[in-house]
Amino acid sequence: FALEPLRFVPKPRELRAGLTADVDLQFLNQLAFCNNQRMSGLLQAELTYDQHLSGSLRMEQGAYEHFKWGVVVRDVALDIAAIGKGVQVNSATATDGDAGRLALTGGVVDRQFGLALELMQAAVIRRDDVEGMLSGRLEISGPLNRPDVTGKLTVDRADILIDNIPPALPPLLTEFDAAAKTQAVAVAEQRSPLPFSLDVKVDLADQVYADASMINSIWGGNLRVRDVPQGISAQGVIEPRRGHVSFIGKKFRFTDGQIDVDGAVPAMPSMNRLTAEYSRADFTARLILNGRLENPDYRLESSPAMPEDEILSHVLFNRDSSSITPYQAFQIAAAARQLSGGLSGPGFMYQMRQAVGVDTLEWREGAEAGDASSVAAGKYLTPSLYVEINQTLDQQGDTGMMAEYEVTRHFSVETSTGAKMRPGIGVNWKNDY
């Protein structure tokens, strides 16, 4: 060993080293790089080097939380063995703090990753705007400096509070010349490449719940998440499975259309003829939305066909516009501008649904004048089996039940019973054109 010039040349077969450690990982929380993160756990190490690395690393009572991302992992237990040219995972398990499980297998040998991460209904995402439960398998393979992350995940359950999603921050403006009044302002964006390549398929298993004061809905679909030069890209289709949007005080139920995620960075989901219907025995109104989620274009259609003001009059007052009062005409004009104000806050029904522990909960008005209103509550017993109970809000208090089993995405079997229903079994077929 020499300081001038700086040189360290160990003789072959004469370098030996040993490491024994017993560490509480909470000390890492005091370091700057752990900002927005919290770690804990007891780490034990028994490692030696004598031409080859050998020994073991063990952890008990481990936990990790990233406050910004909303990632929570608890009950971490590791047993990793050093095997000369790499490390082998004997066992590595964790939980989400509840029934969800995670498990890591494989190892790193000759500077090559060969790991697999299994998720089993793990609720590892917990944020104010999104909570998610995931299952599936991710594989990490390739060189240490840039491995490949591939696999398929299924979203077993997700709750999205639309109005809690923070708005995007404005871009940082640079190269701005105050003297150039009409010149476009250049936006400088610097992006560090990801330390891994990413290609993961995500299946939304018809259990994605989106809630706001005006929306109560359930969605499904498929996405593909990849890394591209601009960042992380998501591409796919999200479709409504059940639910409604409240417009001008009436419930329009989702029937058709989709949300397209085109792979842009940042993501720019757009509505593609997303359709919700309000129906009576002699009249059906359709609210059709297109364009960006934050500022959609919408129009009203009806059967039989009517101008927009007539549709609003029939929906609001069950009569044509020639027989309404001046105040009712004002209400129609105000209704035409309702959607431009956006949606605000998780609704009362969402809060009630969370408290009661059901998947859907809504107030339904009578189908015809004089009919009693009702309350309906529904629950998915499995991802394919939906059961709903409803009760009228009158002196009779009639109770009915409906069960629907989805055999495929386009074919389902339904049965219902109630005071005004004839018991039986129906077969539903639906398709998108």
Side-chain angles (χ1 to χ4, degrees):
F1 180 85
L3 291 176
E4 181 62 38
L6 183 63
R7 187 175 59 188
F8 177 52
V9 185
K11 294 181 179 179
R13 303 178 182 274
E14 291 189 9
L15 179 64
R16 295 175 176 82
L19 171 66
T20 301
D22 193 351
V23 182
D24 187 342
L25 295 180
Q26 291 195 64
F27 86 92
L28 294 173
N29 300 323
Q30 310 300 320
L31 305 180
F33 75 86
C34 285
N35 188 31
N36 284 322
Q37 303 173 70
R38 181 174 178 82
M39 286 180 267
S40 63
L42 303 176
L43 178 66
Q44 295 179 329
E46 291 287 346
L47 296 173
T48 59
Y49 180 84
D50 187 355
Q51 301 184 51
H52 297 290
L53 186 66
S54 61
S56 65
L57 286 171
R58 293 183 175 86
M59 180 190 293
E60 296 179 353
Q61 304 173 25
Y64 175 78
E65 184 171 1
H66 197 295
F67 304 120
K68 184 177 180 180
W69 297 345
V71 175
V72 179
V73 180
R74 298 195 172 106
D75 304 316
V76 179
L78 301 178
D79 183 358
I80 300 175
I83 53 172
K85 294 185 178 182
V87 295
Q88 178 69 39
V89 179
N90 294 329
S91 67
T93 59
T95 75
D96 59 2
D98 201 350
R101 296 289 183 269
L102 301 91
L104 183 69
T105 57
V108 180
V109 180
D110 288 332
R111 302 180 63 82
Q112 294 284 318
F113 276 103
L115 295 170
L117 176 64
E118 296 275 357
L119 296 93
M120 295 149 278
Q121 296 187 334
V124 295
I125 301 175
R126 300 178 186 177
R127 297 165 39 141
D128 292 338
D129 52 353
V130 177
E131 292 188 2
M133 179 186 294
L134 304 175
S135 294
R137 178 183 175 92
L138 294 176
E139 295 186 354
I140 304 99
S141 59
L144 283 177
N145 59 337
R146 187 170 168 80
D148 300 321
V149 179
T150 59
K152 182 176 181 180
L153 296 177
T154 298
V155 179
D156 300 303
R157 168 87 187 218
D159 286 274
I160 303 174
L161 301 185
I162 297 172
D163 303 300
N164 286 349
I165 298 175
L169 295 175
L172 178 64
L173 303 181
T174 61
E175 301 179 16
F176 175 66
D177 183 0
K181 301 296 183 183
T182 61
Q183 195 173 31
V185 178
V187 178
E189 180 179 355
Q190 294 184 347
R191 173 184 175 265
S192 300
L194 291 175
F196 53 86
S197 67
L198 180 67
D199 190 352
V200 176
K201 295 180 180 178
V202 181
D203 180 22
L204 309 178
D206 298 354
Q207 294 284 290
V208 177
Y209 297 80
D211 288 278
S213 61
M214 294 170 60
I215 291 178
N216 188 305
S217 55
I218 303 172
W219 302 76
N222 293 277
L223 297 173
R224 185 180 181 186
V225 181
R226 296 180 294 171
D227 71 298
V228 296
Q230 297 79 19
I232 295 180
S233 162
Q235 186 172 15
V237 172
I238 304 172
E239 300 170 315
R241 302 299 184 213
R242 193 182 301 273
H244 65 267
V245 55
S246 295
F247 176 57
I248 58 176
K250 306 294 182 180
K251 287 186 175 67
F252 284 69
R253 299 189 175 279
F254 290 112
T255 60
D256 201 359
Q258 62 192 38
I259 296 176
D260 294 327
V261 185
D262 61 2
V265 180
M268 296 182 181
S270 61
M271 301 182 189
N272 182 1
R273 198 175 169 80
L274 189 59
T275 304
E277 289 188 355
Y278 171 81
S279 297
R280 292 197 301 267
D282 59 344
F283 170 79
T284 298
R286 287 180 292 276
L287 178 65
I288 301 174
L289 299 102
N290 288 286
R292 298 279 296 276
L293 287 181
E294 65 272 20
N295 187 26
D297 298 321
Y298 76 98
R299 69 177 186 272
L300 286 171
E301 296 179 356
S302 67
S303 299
M306 299 178 186
E308 186 175 279
D309 59 341
E310 288 293 329
I311 297 174
L312 291 170
S313 181
H314 277 266
V315 172
L316 283 169
F317 310 116
N318 196 19
R319 65 184 71 177
D320 60 57
S321 59
S322 63
S323 58
I324 62 175
T325 67
Y327 177 68
Q328 289 172 333
F330 169 77
Q331 289 180 283
I332 290 176
R337 299 190 299 270
Q338 178 185 347
L339 287 185
S340 63
L343 309 177
S344 57
F348 171 75
M349 282 298 189
Y350 169 77
Q351 304 289 352
M352 287 293 295
R353 179 170 66 79
Q354 291 290 91
V356 175
V358 294
D359 292 332
T360 63
L361 180 64
E362 62 177 289
W363 179 295
R364 294 176 180 172
E365 62 182 32
E368 300 178 2
D371 286 353
S373 299
S374 62
V375 172
K379 180 77 174 178
Y380 277 91
L381 302 184
T382 71
S384 301
L385 178 59
Y386 174 78
V387 176
E388 181 179 278
I389 297 176
N390 62 79
Q391 184 170 17
T392 59
L393 301 176
D394 56 8
Q395 292 183 347
Q396 286 76 25
D398 295 327
T399 301
M401 188 191 78
M402 182 273 288
E404 181 182 19
Y405 182 76
E406 189 176 81
V407 181
T408 70
R409 204 162 265 186
H410 303 286
F411 178 73
S412 63
V413 179
E414 178 181 316
T415 180
S416 58
T417 183
K420 296 185 178 181
M421 304 175 187
R422 188 170 68 183
I425 297 177
V427 176
N428 303 320
W429 173 265
K430 57 184 177 181
N431 203 359
D432 298 327
Y433 297 94

